Amino acid sequence: MDDEDVANRKVSFRKCLEHLSGAGKAIGVLTSGGDAQGMNAAVRAVVRMGIYVGAKVYFIYEGYQGMVDGGRNIVEASWESVSSILQVGGTIIGSARCKAFRTREGRLRAAHNLVQRGITNLCVIGGDGSLTGANIFRKEWSGLLEELAQNGEMDKEQVQKHSYLNVVGMVGSIDNDFCGTDMTIGTDSALHRIIEVVDAIMTTAQSHQRTFVLEVMGRHCGYLALVSALACGADWVFLPESPPEEGWQENMCIKLSENRARKKRLNIIIVAEGAIDTQNKPITSEQIKELVVKQLGYDTRVTILGHVQRGGTPSAFDRILASRMGVEAVVALLQATPETPACVVSLSGNQAVRLPLVECVQMTQDVQRAMDERRFKDAVRLRGRSFESNLNTYKRLAIKLPDDQIVKSNCNVAIINVGAPAAGMNAAVRSAVRVGIADGHKMLAIYDGFEGFAKGQIKEIGWGDVGGWTGQGGSILGTKRTLPGKSLEDIAAQMRKHSINALLIVGGFEAYLGLLELSAARDKYEELCVPMVMVPATVSNNVPGSDFSIGADTALNTITDTCDRIKQSASGTKRRVFIIETMGGYCGYLANMGGLAAGADAAYIFEEPFDIRDLQKATSRPCSASAYLHSGTWTRTTVMTTESNVEHLTEKMKTTIQRGLVLRNESCNENYTTDFIYQLYSEEGKGVFDCRKNVLGHMQQGGAPSPFDRNFGTKISARAMQWISTKLKEALGKGKRFMSDDSICVLGISKRNLLFQPVAQLRQETDFEHRIPKEQWWLKLRPLMKILAKYKVSYEVSDSDQLEPMHHRGHEEPAAI
């Protein structure tokens, strides 16, 4: 970049920063409709980002009812008023259905109450009904103000000053029933509640050989039921969008009895509360129970989860999602003009995007219309490619065709786990094995990594062998960090002996290095000239070629849960700062994202160098980070830190929030160790606060996998097997040797898409010394964490403020989970 480019960027930066100023503006934030975990994180982000840019932010209590009633229901928010709410479920500002707001008279009162406080920017967190109401309000705004002026309740100056209303929506709904976003706030947390119950039920069901019918929420959307079924390996699932075919009663009973015949001691059936048959008649959990008891005589119980799914603490995913959406919503409001249509802040892959509210609501209503008209294929398609992909994957994994109906490929496909264990690995193996068998391959399991490969620890693995694997942590196949380099000859001999035609590797950075070594050895060993694909699985999330790795979400939830408990322990003691060390090697993903999810005051990571001045004394110095762009993307820039961490915490102790939380990545600095930082904070904070330290260690690698990791592992591994089957089919009967770069790949999420990237190409994108990718997407969230922790940081914004078209999707596969 030359001097002229730098000068232009500085001018653009100044222009955009001025445009972003919230001085003299007022933002109202409300939650409406059904509550969802993570709404509080969204409220917190809106309040703090609004205050950060100089705007006034108002709580509107009890949703639209509070807006209509006014008075004490509309109160200015302060920075401290949203402290300690990240981990709280529901919504602290209340939510209520409001009949009055549906009338023009009610909206007149609401407009009057907002104008009295100068509020012309509205952030609405709710479902499609709440967002539709907000858009009607926005369209009527100028007419409402004119009517108020005519009635003598407002003067012309006020009408002119508040001439237009800006509206930005965030979707808070546990059902994930809103078209346009991959995930709504609250969905992941609801899945956590469901999977916790399913895991508990499976142990008792196994003891007594019972069948359990679980009813989950989803009156008009089967997302929770579908993903829960995928995540626990349910025998049958009932969805509103995809009713079972005629004669489903007999088919289901055959499936349940076949599973029992395979020595499966339990059956799990998941039912969405809005499940229907092809004639739009309800299918109830009691009806299913009676059928199973009558036809099969199985001991069958019904569990209706109900409002348990709405409750509890939000997951790490929901906290981060809601925080990102909240900040983006404020930016969108400050950028809006009178011509800007109402928009929804959405998630596409791992990117925040803005979509037209009206189009999203229209498509959501189109799904319901398709179901009402019994156009169920259209309903599934309108839900989006992610929903469709989930449904197809579930069908492939749940229902095994008879052996005589599977066309044999005469190919042997091996699967191996490499590196440290990560929660979700077993779900990935199960998925690969079943998709491989369905595609006609003979599936081989390699035990104990490349070490076991060289020793010939290889066995055939069948459909029933992987039953019940999705919910188990660790690696059932066994995994080691050993690389194949020293055993290439033995590995080639084993591949020849077992006639292995393709290899699927599930693992972390060691798996990536192993894949590179196997690729380099292809010239010497023709046995290695087969399709090979790697599925990233590591808590560190440091594999080049993928924004996410299996296991990282589970580790992140462990960190977040631990931080919540630690913060709670400090609430009684007061004036206490906790230093917490996370795993990740040189990759700061867990520390940074854990800090954002837990509301940390600081997170020390290798990717952002720091020195003693940052820790101890007040300073103004640049440090490398990634800057926020209005378009939802980020760029490398300089973040100016104007106060040290100790000074920041000292100031914080003067407020009502008398506790601190600091995360440190285990390898962020070889000299500034956890002990050193603990001792420094203890010394510098004498008389103001005391310190405690915690090293979380291997608990981050253990435990049952989160719903995200189960689903991600299942879907990405199924896709990897489809790729292998396609490659083998192309070579059928040709005796083809696979030598090209595109036959040895890493499969991962890149921005919005699932991509197969040749390992040779990824070599250029890798920092091998520190075992991390050279570019890491999550660094863009770095300034976000600092802003929400009240650090004074500057960030650069682009001129782009365009809404994306609703149907904008690339040609690649969607990366949504």
Side-chain angles (χ1 to χ4, degrees):
M1 186 182 288
D2 58 28
D3 291 341
E4 187 179 350
D5 285 335
V6 172
N8 288 338
R9 282 185 65 183
K10 284 180 179 176
V11 170
S12 171
F13 168 69
R14 282 195 298 272
K15 180 181 73 177
C16 291
L17 199 60
E18 286 165 12
H19 178 58
L20 247 192
S21 172
K25 294 187 178 181
I27 299 169
V29 59
L30 69 129
T31 52
S32 177
D35 66 305
Q37 308 96 319
M39 278 184 167
N40 286 328
V43 170
R44 171 181 178 267
V46 169
V47 169
R48 292 195 167 178
M49 184 62 179
I51 293 172
Y52 179 82
V53 295
K56 283 186 174 182
V57 185
Y58 288 85
F59 289 142
I60 301 174
Y61 288 97
E62 311 306 335
Y64 289 117
Q65 190 65 55
M67 197 191 295
V68 172
D69 294 343
R72 293 183 181 178
N73 289 301
I74 305 176
V75 178
E76 187 173 351
S78 67
W79 191 276
E80 290 173 37
S81 64
V82 290
S83 175
S84 302
I85 68 169
L86 257 178
Q87 68 273 21
V88 179
T91 163
I92 62 158
I93 57 176
S95 180
R97 315 277 178 189
C98 179
K99 289 183 180 178
F101 192 75
R102 296 182 182 182
T103 66
R104 185 171 177 83
E105 186 186 338
R107 293 193 289 274
L108 265 175
R109 282 156 55 197
H112 181 263
N113 290 328
L114 294 187
V115 171
Q116 292 301 308
R117 294 159 180 82
I119 299 171
T120 54
N121 297 282
L122 210 52
C123 180
V124 181
I125 307 164
D128 61 327
S130 305
L131 301 183
T132 302
N135 191 50
I136 291 169
F137 192 41
R138 183 190 71 86
K139 285 180 177 177
E140 291 182 352
W141 181 259
S142 57
L144 292 170
L145 263 56
E146 284 171 16
E147 192 172 330
L148 287 167
Q150 286 169 10
N151 297 342
E153 297 178 64
M154 194 178 293
D155 58 40
K156 288 184 179 179
E157 191 180 326
Q158 282 181 302
V159 172
Q160 199 169 358
K161 187 179 177 184
H162 307 99
S163 58
Y164 65 94
L165 178 71
N166 296 319
V167 172
V168 173
M170 285 183 273
V171 190
S173 166
I174 66 165
D175 293 337
N176 201 30
D177 57 354
F178 193 82
C179 293
T181 186
D182 291 342
M183 286 285 267
T184 57
I185 296 166
T187 303
D188 188 67
S189 302
L191 286 170
H192 273 258
R193 300 296 92 78
I194 295 167
I195 294 304
E196 285 163 12
V197 172
V198 171
D199 285 352
I201 277 175
M202 285 177 89
T203 56
T204 181
Q206 221 158 12
S207 303
H208 298 279
Q209 296 194 56
R210 281 184 178 141
T211 295
F212 268 86
V213 181
L214 269 81
E215 184 180 303
V216 302
M217 282 187 166
R219 200 176 309 138
H220 304 294
C221 178
Y223 183 88
L224 289 179
L226 177 55
V227 175
S228 302
L230 260 180
C232 73
D235 298 271
W236 204 271
V237 64
F238 292 89
L239 314 171
E241 296 91 342
S242 182
E245 295 172 1
E246 294 292 334
W248 63 267
Q249 295 90 339
E250 187 182 347
N251 293 335
M252 185 185 76
C253 289
I254 290 170
K255 170 80 193 309
L256 297 179
S257 56
E258 282 177 353
N259 285 347
R260 287 290 177 96
R262 293 191 190 108
K263 298 183 179 177
K264 188 176 180 183
R265 290 179 58 86
L266 77 157
N267 300 115
I268 299 288
I269 300 166
I270 294 183
V271 191
E273 64 175 320
I276 51 175
D277 64 16
T278 50
Q279 302 306 309
N280 278 6
K281 291 178 182 173
I283 297 176
T284 66
S285 45
E286 279 297 330
Q287 186 184 332
I288 295 164
K289 175 194 169 180
E290 287 169 14
L291 175 71
V292 174
V293 172
K294 185 179 176 183
Q295 297 291 327
L296 300 173
Y298 293 165
D299 185 2
T300 306
R301 305 295 165 92
V302 172
T303 299
I304 298 174
L305 270 64
H307 283 75
V308 165
Q309 296 157 88
R310 286 197 190 278
T313 192
S315 66
F317 183 96
D318 273 329
R319 298 184 199 194
I320 293 165
L321 172 66
S323 297
R324 292 178 68 184
M325 300 297 101
V327 168
E328 178 68 23
V330 172
V331 173
L333 284 171
L334 296 180
Q335 279 191 319
T337 66
E339 290 73 39
T340 307
C343 75
V344 179
V345 179
S346 301
L347 181 74
S348 179
N350 69 0
Q351 291 189 302
V353 296
R354 299 180 206 166
L355 298 173
L357 187 152
V358 176
E359 289 182 34
C360 292
V361 170
Q362 183 60 52
M363 187 173 280
T364 303
Q365 291 170 351
D366 287 345
V367 178
Q368 186 58 50
R369 193 174 298 112
M371 287 193 284
D372 292 340
E373 295 170 1
R374 295 191 285 174
R375 293 182 288 108
F376 297 111
K377 285 184 180 177
D378 287 345
V380 169
R381 180 181 53 78
L382 287 166
R383 278 276 177 240
R385 287 188 293 173
S386 173
F387 188 92
E388 203 170 358
S389 169
N390 279 328
L391 184 57
N392 291 335
T393 303
Y394 172 77
K395 287 176 179 176
R396 294 203 80 190
L397 299 178
I399 302 167
K400 182 183 183 291
L401 290 172
D403 289 340
D404 57 1
Q405 290 182 30
I406 298 174
V407 180
K408 299 291 184 284
S409 68
N410 298 317
C411 292
N412 296 342
V413 178
I415 184 164
I416 183 173
N417 289 347
V418 177
M425 272 184 162
N426 296 322
V429 172
R430 169 187 175 269
S431 177
V433 167
R434 292 196 169 180
V435 171
I437 290 170
D439 285 346
H441 310 314
K442 180 180 178 182
M443 296 302 296
L444 302 174
I446 300 169
Y447 294 84
D448 297 333
F450 286 120
E451 204 174 293
F453 201 170
K455 292 176 182 176
Q457 293 172 217
I458 305 167
K459 290 181 185 175
E460 184 177 355
I461 188 165
W463 186 281
D465 296 332
V466 292
W469 279 31
T470 50
Q472 296 192 44
S475 167
I476 295 172
L477 293 185
T479 180
K480 293 193 175 179
R481 295 178 182 269
T482 314
L483 295 178
K486 294 178 182 178
S487 312
L488 285 168
E489 193 171 329
D490 293 332
I491 287 170
Q494 291 297 334
M495 291 192 72
R496 186 167 59 249
K497 179 182 175 181
H498 293 276
S499 302
I500 293 172
N501 304 105
L503 183 65
L504 172 59
I505 303 173
V506 180
F509 204 84
E510 288 83 4
Y512 172 71
L513 293 175
L515 202 61
L516 281 167
E517 289 183 3
L518 293 174
S519 176
R522 276 179 158 185
D523 290 335
K524 190 174 180 182
Y525 302 103
E526 66 174 352
E527 293 85 356
L528 302 179
C529 299
V530 299
M532 296 185 188
V533 62
M534 176 193 161
V535 169
T538 167
V539 300
S540 303
N541 197 33
N542 63 337
V543 176
S546 187
D547 294 344
F548 294 103
S549 297
I550 298 165
D553 183 72
T554 304
L556 202 53
N557 277 289
T558 301
I559 293 165
T560 306
D561 291 346
T562 307
C563 288
D564 286 349
R565 294 181 184 196
I566 285 170
K567 281 163 71 177
Q568 194 175 41
S569 77
S571 62
T573 324
K574 308 287 187 190
R575 299 182 179 277
R576 180 163 285 177
V577 174
F578 284 90
I579 318 291
I580 297 173
E581 183 184 297
T582 67
M583 293 177 92
Y586 286 99
C587 180
Y589 176 83
L590 289 179
N592 188 72
M593 302 302 269
L596 184 55
D601 296 282
Y604 299 120
I605 59 172
F606 168 77
E607 292 87 348
E608 186 177 292
F610 61 96
D611 61 23
I612 195 71
R613 292 175 294 174
D614 296 304
L615 298 169
Q616 190 179 23
K617 297 175 184 175
T619 179
S620 178
R621 55 186 294 272
C623 54
S624 173
S626 296
Y628 185 84
L629 300 182
H630 277 178
S631 59
T633 58
W634 301 67
T635 184
R636 298 291 291 182
T637 189
T638 296
V639 172
M640 298 300 298
T641 304
T642 55
E643 56 185 321
S644 74
N645 300 133
V646 172
E647 182 197 24
H648 173 82
L649 286 165
T650 302
E651 288 300 310
K652 187 177 179 182
M653 293 301 161
K654 295 174 184 175
T655 71
T656 56
I657 319 165
Q658 296 184 349
R659 50 159 178 68
L661 186 67
V662 175
L663 272 64
R664 178 190 175 273
N665 165 245
E666 61 183 345
S667 300
C668 65
N669 190 295
E670 62 181 338
N671 296 314
Y672 301 135
T673 62
T674 302
D675 284 335
F676 176 88
I677 292 173
Y678 163 70
Q679 288 163 6
L680 179 76
Y681 271 60
S682 298
E683 182 61 30
E684 293 291 321
K686 260 184 185 172
V688 182
F689 57 81
D690 64 356
C691 279
R692 296 289 186 275
K693 64 176 177 178
N694 288 78
V695 177
L696 300 185
H698 282 75
M699 66 184 289
Q700 296 160 84
Q701 282 184 346
S706 69
F708 182 97
D709 280 329
R710 297 183 196 200
N711 191 18
F712 182 40
T714 297
K715 285 183 69 173
I716 198 170
S717 192
R719 183 64 192 92
M721 275 306 307
Q722 288 169 6
W723 178 86
I724 285 173
S725 295
T726 303
K727 290 284 181 190
L728 292 175
K729 201 174 282 183
E730 286 171 2
L732 197 64
K734 298 176 184 175
K736 181 180 175 182
R737 290 174 66 198
F738 292 87
M739 293 290 290
S740 62
D741 287 347
D742 68 354
S743 65
I744 185 161
C745 294
V746 173
L747 171 59
I749 288 181
S750 179
K751 293 181 181 174
R752 303 190 196 182
N753 301 304
L754 270 176
L755 295 178
F756 290 90
Q757 297 182 72
V759 73
Q761 178 184 310
L762 292 173
R763 183 190 288 272
Q764 314 304 318
E765 301 171 19
T766 307
D767 175 354
F768 286 99
E769 182 186 352
H770 300 108
R771 296 162 58 93
I772 54 175
K774 289 178 181 176
E775 295 292 328
Q776 300 186 87
W777 73 273
W778 53 266
L779 281 168
K780 69 186 180 183
L781 303 183
R782 191 86 179 132
L784 213 81
M785 192 196 78
K786 294 183 177 183
I787 287 167
L788 297 178
K790 212 176 184 177
Y791 279 91
K792 296 169 187 171
V793 296
S794 58
Y795 53 95
E796 183 178 321
V797 285
S798 73
D799 290 332
S800 173
D801 56 357
Q802 299 299 308
L803 287 181
E804 291 206 4
M806 179 60 188
H807 299 288
H808 174 72
R809 293 287 184 271
H811 296 294
E812 294 86 357
E813 293 176 66
I817 303 303

